[in-house]
Amino acid sequence: MKITKAILTGGGRATRLRPITTTINKHLIPLANKPMIFHAIDKVVEAGVKEIFINTNPGETQLQKVVGDGARWGVSIKYFEQTGGPQGIAHVVNCAKDFIGDDPFMFYLSDNIILGSLVPFFEEFERKNHDCMLAFSKVDDPERFGVPVFDANKKLVEIIEKPSAPTSNFAVTGIYLYGPKIFFEAFNHIQKSPRGEYEISDIHSYFLKNGRSVGWKEITGWWKDTGKPEDLIMANTLLLGEMKKSEFSRFDSPLGRGRNKLAMLKGNVHIGEGTTIGPGVKIVGPVIIGNHCALSQCSIGPNVTIGSGSSIRLASISNSIIFSNCTIESKIKISDSIIGDQAKVMKNKIKKVHRLIIGDQTLIEL
């Protein structure tokens, strides 16, 4: 029962990430300098998926342009809208039933970032011939998620969505595997919750109450639901840390020929094509700098990504995500920050550490 189809989420409004998501789809926010959804696609393709179906917001065009038809990964990617407005993620899956047909499939919330491979997860599902396979992770705030309920014998008996008094500190992550037909059968037997949504936890509880084989596996590496700005920054940091040394270009590579001799490099650093590194620049990896950037008299890193076309001068930046075409020209210390596309941070007289969550096309003078 090998899985070759996957549904990925590409919709939603991500209001907790505003103003960043006011002008950009959340799933296109750059983590380790590539769109967030690319990390999800990488994971499912590695696990053997050949056909991917991505749900989008009504009228969405940006996501399709960035992701494309799947040729980049050697797979097929198609898009569909959630009809009738937001009605919960179980409803998202049901909207894709014509694509899935009678085949087993994966459902992946693309704003979930995981480290490590999904291959063992797929292999256990196939080996044990489960009807459904769930991934759990221990969290400090399980009330924000679906939470598993176990009986006295530690057998999984139910999944409760966002309980006010969680019975465990496990959260159900956004990674689900399903056998043929089973999901759509269950969907026809659930009702909307009091908050007006078809809850995916109700799908899984239906399986458990009707004798279906529901397996689960704890994610023992790292998993993050990127619902808040600090989650994005942490995800960016961990993805940079997971990258292999070979994925970074050194200053002595062809891409790093714009380096001034007075610049200092330490650790894993990637420098994009056409980027110039001027005098007085100190870079401590892991750091990724995009194409056609200009850096001078600044300190960058660790754990920083800078999008293409950006200009940085005088600033000291660490643990931050800088989007494309940004201008930062101020003797300022920036940490744990997200600076949106085309934002400008200009010189002023204030001299202290700042924490910034800045939306696209914003001008901030400090």
Side-chain angles (χ1 to χ4, degrees):
M1 194 166 55
K2 188 172 180 59
I3 291 178
T4 61
K5 292 182 177 181
I7 301 169
L8 270 60
T9 53
R13 298 302 177 186
T15 55
R16 287 183 296 167
L17 290 173
R18 290 179 180 171
I20 297 298
T21 51
T22 301
T23 56
I24 186 175
N25 185 307
K26 173 184 179 178
H27 300 87
L28 297 180
I29 291 175
L31 296 179
N33 256 24
K34 66 180 180 181
M36 185 191 304
I37 197 171
F38 280 28
H39 296 284
I41 295 172
D42 288 342
K43 294 295 184 184
V44 303
V45 170
E46 180 195 22
V49 167
K50 303 297 183 185
E51 295 180 78
I52 297 173
F53 310 100
I54 302 176
N55 91 290
T56 65
N57 293 322
E60 172 77 52
T61 59
Q62 187 183 30
L63 188 75
Q64 295 91 320
K65 289 178 181 178
V66 173
V67 177
D69 63 2
R72 178 195 302 264
W73 295 272
V75 300
S76 168
I77 295 180
K78 296 179 181 178
Y79 303 87
F80 67 98
E81 291 184 4
Q82 184 176 10
T83 57
Q87 299 183 64
I89 61 172
H91 185 257
V92 169
V93 177
N94 196 60
C95 288
K97 63 183 177 182
D98 289 341
F99 294 120
I100 298 303
D102 295 336
D103 298 319
F105 68 97
M106 176 191 200
F107 179 41
Y108 191 155
L109 304 185
S110 304
D111 57 357
N112 282 217
I113 300 296
I114 65 168
L115 302 187
S117 174
L118 289 174
V119 172
F121 191 63
F122 275 60
E123 289 176 343
E124 183 168 331
F125 172 78
E126 295 166 8
R127 184 175 65 255
K128 294 188 176 181
N129 199 31
H130 286 306
D131 293 307
C132 172
M133 185 83 174
L134 305 175
F136 297 165
S137 181
K138 291 180 180 178
V139 297
D140 295 329
D141 51 354
E143 64 278 0
R144 289 179 51 216
F145 305 95
V147 175
V149 178
F150 301 93
D151 65 15
N153 297 317
K154 297 184 178 181
K155 179 183 177 182
L156 179 63
V157 294
E158 190 177 6
I159 306 292
I160 300 178
E161 187 66 22
K162 297 179 173 62
S164 57
T167 57
S168 77
N169 63 343
F170 274 127
V172 181
T173 72
I175 305 164
Y176 318 93
L177 304 182
Y178 300 107
K181 301 181 181 180
I182 179 172
F183 185 97
F184 307 110
E185 170 195 325
F187 187 84
N188 290 331
H189 289 84
I190 68 170
Q191 304 294 323
K192 286 185 178 180
S193 68
R195 62 179 188 154
E197 296 189 359
Y198 291 103
E199 308 288 1
I200 200 152
S201 294
D202 290 344
I203 295 284
H204 303 141
S205 291
Y206 177 86
F207 293 161
L208 290 163
K209 293 174 182 178
N210 288 274
R212 295 291 191 172
S213 174
V214 179
W216 64 275
K217 188 176 182 69
E218 181 182 357
I219 294 178
T220 54
W222 187 86
W223 162 79
K224 178 59 72 175
D225 167 31
T226 54
K228 298 178 291 185
E230 54 266 36
D231 298 332
L232 291 173
I233 293 166
M234 178 61 76
N236 192 58
T237 295
L238 291 170
L239 287 169
L240 285 172
E242 187 187 39
M243 290 174 62
K244 299 177 182 176
K245 189 174 182 178
S246 60
E247 297 179 77
F248 293 88
S249 69
R250 302 290 294 188
F251 278 124
D252 53 5
S253 74
L255 295 182
R257 289 174 181 164
R259 175 201 179 189
N260 186 281
K261 292 181 179 179
L262 298 179
M264 191 195 85
L265 161 71
K266 181 179 179 181
N268 293 329
V269 177
H270 176 86
I271 304 295
E273 184 176 0
T275 287
T276 58
I277 307 298
V281 174
K282 178 182 178 181
I283 304 177
V284 179
V287 167
I288 298 177
I289 300 171
N291 300 333
H292 305 293
C293 294
L295 278 65
S296 64
Q297 298 178 331
C298 60
S299 176
I300 307 297
N303 305 315
V304 173
T305 56
I306 299 175
S308 295
S310 292
S311 175
I312 313 292
R313 189 170 70 90
L314 302 175
S316 175
I317 305 174
S318 62
N319 302 311
S320 296
I321 303 170
I322 312 299
F323 282 38
S324 298
N325 303 305
C326 291
T327 301
I328 302 175
E329 296 185 2
S330 177
K331 196 171 183 180
I332 182 176
K333 292 183 179 180
I334 297 174
S335 184
D336 302 300
S337 300
I338 303 173
I339 298 182
D341 190 65
Q342 301 181 54
K344 294 183 179 181
V345 181
M346 309 304 290
K347 184 178 180 180
N348 206 325
K349 295 181 180 180
I350 299 176
K351 297 180 179 180
K352 61 181 180 179
V353 173
H354 298 268
R355 182 177 185 272
L356 307 173
I357 306 298
I358 301 178
D360 294 358
Q361 302 183 47
T362 301
L363 170 62
I364 301 291
E365 295 185 358
L366 299 169

